[in-house]
């Protein structure tokens, strides 16, 4: 690997870095301060730089952040651009601010390696795909004459037809009722707000004068634990801001099942519907305030969530989702006026909820498939979206199968004594060597608990050091002061009371380990069943993408070693972070993306594992470290 | 012409009648009493008979009154079926009632000669075209299983797809929100109400159990003077009832122009919108009560009216219709929920307003073209729809041109001293011979005034008897006690005070005659201009259909003689009555009719006569009896 020189203008700060280092990292090395709200996650679009010389191109998702002109002018995101040439780069004034951390409530809102993501079906220039769900078109209409006295609405659509490709247009009665006066009072100069609905252009609103700049949309990830909202300027396609909060539905149950039980036992989903709407309204208001825009200028929303969350959001009863034979009310949702469900944006603004596949394969996974480009290429890809519920997809551009795995919340910190989300103070990395424990915490704070990656590390390290057996049980013959036995059985002390924030020891219990083994067993068994189902072996997978709950600190080798992930070349396995919000944003901005998502949802064959005998066998076989069939993990040796 | 024997069962009443006599007339002759609410206008469907032997077929419009099975079983309308064979006919119990007159407030709701009307593009069996705008489909769905666990809405649409031809279905959020519970609470037995919207099936409502019988629609003729509502059973296509009332908008002006002035000068069309909605609601309520149905079972409305009336109905500002360059807000109207404009039917029910062509060529004339089959055949037809505004169409299956002629209300009785609508007591026929006047009045009552046909007769008779000259001026040298001169000039007494209802003489003044000549001149000039415009002569017209305001008592020869109608073979000229409501009903019931109406509206080229120089010349030339160019009226000799 070569080294390259990068010069940052205007201050001529220089760094010599390894090939593949990001421009953001290079800037840090050069001592040039670049704003990056999201901490280099490719999410906020704040770290924009202009490449003046040398070869460094915007990635395909730049369309989320830059106009076509800016892409041509060499604008890139520092955090998403790897150095592969000597470069001269300008830091624009707006990007030269102090760093600050975005408050996302611990939401794992990240995506990386966008170079690996694609929409290969369609041309390479992302700007050419730019076709927002809602367009605002400023019209200066010719005044009617006797020789040209078509109706007012025909005059509007005649002009719209020149600017938009919809074969036909529809208009609401309310809009039509105001049309004649509006056109005449404002000298035939109006801005039309047009939403795409199937292939029809729906004229939502007509405003006086040129308001085309004032056109925003929201990409919303409605997660079980967190709700994330990205504010996007639809005219330019730029991400203006992002906010996240904890899903208020948590008060009715941590997981979807308990929330469904809550709603269905009362016969009312109103509380669950209202809380998630409040989540979105709160974030929207905060973003609008922060960015100085009017919420009335937000004209559309694309939301992605699992099937149950989508039902809650739209006020659809999810009760039959929960019980065999697991039937949702709908998997493709109507485009509706957001106001209809109490969301406060433009009162004419619309919301599209991304299509689901089945009760336990939701729109979040559909847009995940969209975002990772699985359906675009002939190579076979596996996408594992791990959250409170796990979803697995295997497929390529010809076929897609998927399933859901109730892996439980163990990897998100639930169901274990000291488990916690990947926030400040959680142990995210652990090593045990010769009886000594070393760990890293998020924010380098005193330990408060263990997050998913820490738990995976722990199990691996305990097994490797023979402190637990491959069945997950403590080897009580080991003499270690860290092994203590309490009422609930043996446990291992990862951090002594004097090291921790709370003054209590952070431990992992045998029960925790048992739960984690069940979780990893369920996930692995699901992947194995799906790959078997299509007659493939793990070796035939071209890539495994990990999305959602897996923290970026996950040690892939250790995840393989405990039997969570298949034992394939670790180079083939990569994080893609929050593919859900990325996919929702693509659907918001790119013409073909929305239709592609619908196609994907229709193409996906869902395998119901709960009733699939091979899965049960695989699950039982996977309740071992790494697996009862050691031939499946040739590289793993304890 | 031959004679045929008709036997009416069960009473074996017999008549021998001329070929071409209607079965209703034959029954009268035989002394068999058949119910006919509308007085033989083909409107009410009450005079149904079953032809047991002999050749007599239901006409193409029977679909409005009979089910497919009934058509096959030989059911016909007595008033619409002409005797052309020896027949044996059963009078069903329901048709054996006493005659009663329907109160339609004088609305000229008639259509006759349906054999001449066609939808030739499409197959001959009208039952095969039956595809109501709103269908109700009773579904007994299979319960979901693990092997068949598609979403609830997919389960519904999968079944609908087998029964309806729509390529895709849409459902409102409100309907979707109730779906899961409704299906499960009612054992998967529901009735779906599906409206056609473009080519998509819109699921409007889902009801428990089988309610498919309870499906009604309204065909509405929104006229300037009268509003007519037909209640149609959409499952069978039968007309259940008809009601009419005077357009309440009359309080804001007799004609559309004064109503527009009223609305636009106040900047509010609310009063005009509300009154016409009240008209429809009143009629709907009366019909529902009369027929013992629930207005909630009325699921759709097709309304036809001129462009201004359509604007008023939908709450669209019509102000720019009135002024050059005569621009309507829209000519094609969105399908909306009827409730949105305050119409009280099923709250999910829809209303379609038939498309207009331009400001002065409305949906009434478009459906008139539909109803008379002008656009179906290669022969060239002229349709003259005469009402408060006159509209003229010339065309065939390849091209259609149209124009409107502000002929004024003279032929409806407006603008003349003793003019009145064609209601009881109006003089409808007049003959003057050797100084003696004979007349007929409607209802054989004492004269109260003169209706359109009476006025036409009067002018012809006065001119023929040289009482007026061909310029419309009185020949004061004639010595006739009926000619009297008052302050406003000379007038002719048609009925002396002792003959009349009011005790006042019914007269026609020179001013009246002048107004009538202007009206007939405008109408003729419009027809002439349109025919000239397309490079044709009158002889090339295959047929002239008269619709709307012309009473069925109009003497066509006299109308030609005064220069109102072109001087062509009178056999080619015929009444078709209220083509507007007939077309609206066709759009309500027949699959292709609705789309055909849209096609017709797009195909029609409107010629704006107000700025068309040849029209002005034609108009001036036509201000003479019959015309300044006598070569145009070779058959007319005074």
């Amino acid at each position: 690997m070569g080294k390259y020189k990068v010069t940052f203008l205007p201050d001529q700060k220089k760094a010599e870095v390894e090939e593949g280092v990001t421009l953001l990292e290079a800037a840090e090395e050069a001592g040039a301060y670049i704003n990056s709200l999201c901490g280099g996650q490719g999410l906020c679009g704040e770290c924009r730089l202009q490449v003046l010389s040398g070869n460094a191109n915007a990635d395909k998702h730049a369309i989320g952040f830059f106009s076509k002109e800016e892409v041509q002018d060499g604008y890139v995101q520092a955090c998403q651009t790897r150095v592969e040439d000597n470069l001269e780069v300008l830091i624009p004034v707006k990007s030269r601010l102090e760093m600050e951390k975005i408050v996302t409530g611990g939401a794992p809102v990240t995506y990386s390696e966008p170079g690996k993501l694609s929409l290969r079906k369609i041309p390479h220039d992302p700007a050419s795909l730019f076709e927002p769900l809602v367009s605002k078109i400023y019209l200066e209409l010719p005044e009617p004459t006797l020789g040209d006295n078509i109706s007012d609405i025909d005059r509007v659509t005649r002009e719209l037809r020149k600017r938009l490709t919809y074969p036909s247009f529809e208009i609401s009665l309310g809009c039509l009722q105001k049309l004649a006066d509006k056109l005449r009072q404002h000298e035939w100069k109006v801005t039309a707000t047009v939403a795409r609905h199937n292939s029809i252009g729906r004229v939502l609103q007509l405003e006086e004068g040129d308001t085309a700049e004032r056109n925003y949309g929201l990409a919303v990830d409605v997660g079980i634990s967190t709700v994330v909202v990205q504010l996007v300027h639809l005219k330019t396609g730029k991400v203006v801001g992002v906010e996240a909060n904890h899903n208020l539905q948590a008060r009715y149950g941590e997981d979807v099942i308990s929330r469904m039980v809550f709603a269905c036992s009362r016969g009312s989903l109103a509380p669950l519907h209202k809380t998630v709407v409040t989540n979105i309204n709160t974030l929207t208001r905060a973003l609008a305030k922060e960015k100085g825009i009017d919420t009335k200028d937000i004209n559309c929303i694309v939301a992605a969530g699992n099937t149950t969350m989508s039902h809650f959001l739209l006020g659809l009863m999810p009760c039959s989702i929960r019980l065999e034979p697991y039937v949702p009310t709908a998997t493709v949702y109507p485009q509706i006026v957001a106001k209809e469900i109490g969301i406060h944006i433009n009162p004419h603004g619309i919301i599209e909820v991304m299509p689901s596949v089945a009760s336990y394969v939701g729109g979040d996974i559909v847009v995940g498939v969209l975002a990772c480009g699985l359906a675009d290429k002939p190579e076979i890809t596996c996408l594992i979206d791990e959250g409170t519920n796990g979803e697995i997809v295997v497929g390529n551009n010809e076929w897609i199968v998927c399933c859901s795995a109730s892996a439980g919340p163990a990897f998100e910190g639930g169901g274990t004594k000291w488990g916690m989300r990947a926030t400040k103070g959680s142990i995210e990395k652990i090593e045990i060597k010769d009886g000594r424990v070393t760990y890293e915490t998020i924010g380098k704070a005193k330990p408060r608990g263990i997050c998913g990656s820490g738990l995976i590390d722990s199990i691996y390290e305990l097994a490797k050091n023979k402190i637990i057996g491959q069945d997950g049980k403590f080897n009580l013959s080991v003499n270690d002061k860290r092994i203590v036995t309490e009422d609930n059985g043996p446990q291992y002390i990862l951090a002594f009371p004097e090291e921790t924030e709370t003054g209590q020891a952070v431990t992992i219990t045998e029960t925790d380990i048992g739960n984690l083994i069940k979780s990893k067993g369920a996930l692995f068994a699901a992947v194995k069943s799906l790959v078997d189902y299509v007659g493939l072996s793990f070796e035939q997978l071209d890539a495994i993408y990990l999305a959602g709950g897996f923290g970026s600190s996950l040690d892939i080798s250790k995840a393989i070693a405990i039997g969570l992930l298949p034992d394939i070349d670790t180079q083939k396995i990569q994080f893609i972070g929050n593919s859900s919000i990325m996919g929702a944003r693509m659907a918001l901005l790119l013409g073909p993306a929305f239709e592609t998502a619908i196609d994907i949802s229709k193409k996906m064959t869902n395998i119901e594992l709960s009733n699939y005998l091979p899965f049960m066998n695989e699950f039982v076989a996977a309740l071992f470290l790494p697996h009862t069939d050691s031939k499946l993990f040739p590289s793993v040796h304890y």
Side-chain angles (χ1 to χ4, degrees), chain A residues 374 380-383 392-396 399-403 527 530-531 534 536 541:
Chain A
L374 179 146
I380 295 157
T381 302
C382 174
L383 170 66
I392 296 140
V393 187
V394 174
N396 64 5
W399 53 268
I400 308 176
V401 293
C402 63
C403 68
V527 177
L530 207 57
V531 169
V534 291
L536 294 175
L541 297 179

Side-chain angles (χ1 to χ4, degrees), chain A residues 351-550:
Chain A
I351 177 166
E352 287 271 11
V353 176
M354 296 306 288
S356 307
V357 176
S359 278
Y360 289 105
V361 186
D364 47 356
I365 194 79
V366 170
V367 294
V369 170
L370 175 75
C372 78
L374 179 146
D376 303 332
K377 47 195 174 187
E379 294 87 0
I380 295 157
T381 302
C382 174
L383 170 66
I384 304 176
D385 191 358
E386 180 52 6
T388 312
N389 283 321
E391 277 123 5
I392 296 140
V393 187
V394 174
N396 64 5
N397 55 354
E398 294 190 346
W399 53 268
I400 308 176
V401 293
C402 63
C403 68
S404 64
S406 296
F411 296 114
E412 285 194 312
T416 54
K417 192 173 178 188
W418 287 94
M420 65 180 286
R421 296 189 187 286
T423 51
K424 197 179 167 188
S426 69
I427 296 173
E428 59 171 357
K429 280 187 184 298
I430 286 181
E431 226 179 290
I432 303 176
K433 209 169 182 184
D434 306 329
R436 282 179 52 207
V437 173
T438 53
Y439 53 77
E440 289 175 22
T441 61
I442 292 180
K444 302 199 198 305
K446 280 192 165 186
R448 293 173 54 224
I450 329 164
C451 68
S453 60
L455 287 166
I456 289 164
D457 279 12
S458 303
I459 291 172
Y460 169 73
E461 296 291 333
L462 290 173
K464 192 185 149 209
N465 286 280
K466 312 283 185 205
I467 297 163
I468 58 171
Q470 284 174 264
D471 59 356
K473 303 290 178 197
F474 275 95
N475 182 354
L476 297 174
S477 66
V478 172
N479 185 15
D480 188 332
K481 62 174 176 177
R482 288 181 179 264
I483 304 174
V484 291
T485 300
E486 288 194 348
D487 288 352
N488 296 325
Q491 54 183 326
Y492 185 84
I493 297 170
L494 294 168
F496 288 106
E498 56 273 23
E499 303 166 44
T500 70
E501 169 95 3
T502 58
Q504 285 187 282
V506 172
T507 66
I508 183 165
T509 70
E510 198 169 270
T511 312
D512 291 348
I513 293 165
N515 285 338
L516 287 162
I517 288 175
K518 273 185 208 140
S519 288
K520 75 96 191 169
L523 195 78
F524 180 83
V527 177
K528 177 79 163 52
S529 299
L530 207 57
V531 169
D532 284 353
Y533 183 85
V534 291
L536 294 175
S537 67
F538 290 135
E539 285 68 35
Q540 291 171 281
L541 297 179
D542 185 61
I544 296 180
Y545 293 129
L546 306 178
F550 289 119

Side-chain angles (χ1 to χ4, degrees), chain A residues 59-66 118-120 122-134 166 196 232 234 236-237 302 354 370-371 376 582-597:
Chain A
D59 72 85
K60 295 172 196 67
H61 300 284
I63 192 64
F65 299 98
F66 303 113
S118 69
L119 261 179
R120 289 197 194 180
I122 33 197
H124 294 300
D125 174 14
S128 74
L129 306 177
F130 185 62
E131 186 195 303
L133 181 56
V134 170
Y166 305 124
R196 185 170 64 241
V232 182
L234 296 181
T236 58
V302 172
M354 296 306 288
L370 175 75
D376 303 332
M582 196 165 82
R585 199 185 67 234
M586 287 167 79
L588 197 60
L589 290 175
L590 304 184
F594 199 85
E595 286 68 23
T596 305

Side-chain angles (χ1 to χ4, degrees), chain A residues 310-329:
Chain A
S310 301
H311 275 55
F312 282 140
L313 177 60
L314 290 169
L316 304 176
M317 263 293 177
C319 303
S320 51
I321 287 180
R322 187 171 63 89
L323 303 168
E324 207 181 289
Y326 318 111
V327 178
T329 296

Side-chain angles (χ1 to χ4, degrees), chain A residues 36-71:
Chain A
S36 166
L37 284 184
C38 65
Q41 296 172 355
L43 192 74
C44 66
E46 296 287 331
C47 62
R48 52 208 333 256
L49 301 178
Q50 189 179 10
V51 177
L52 301 179
S53 74
N55 199 0
N57 292 319
D59 72 85
K60 295 172 196 67
H61 300 284
I63 192 64
F65 299 98
F66 303 113
S67 70
K68 190 175 180 172
E69 288 70 29
E70 288 176 328
V71 169

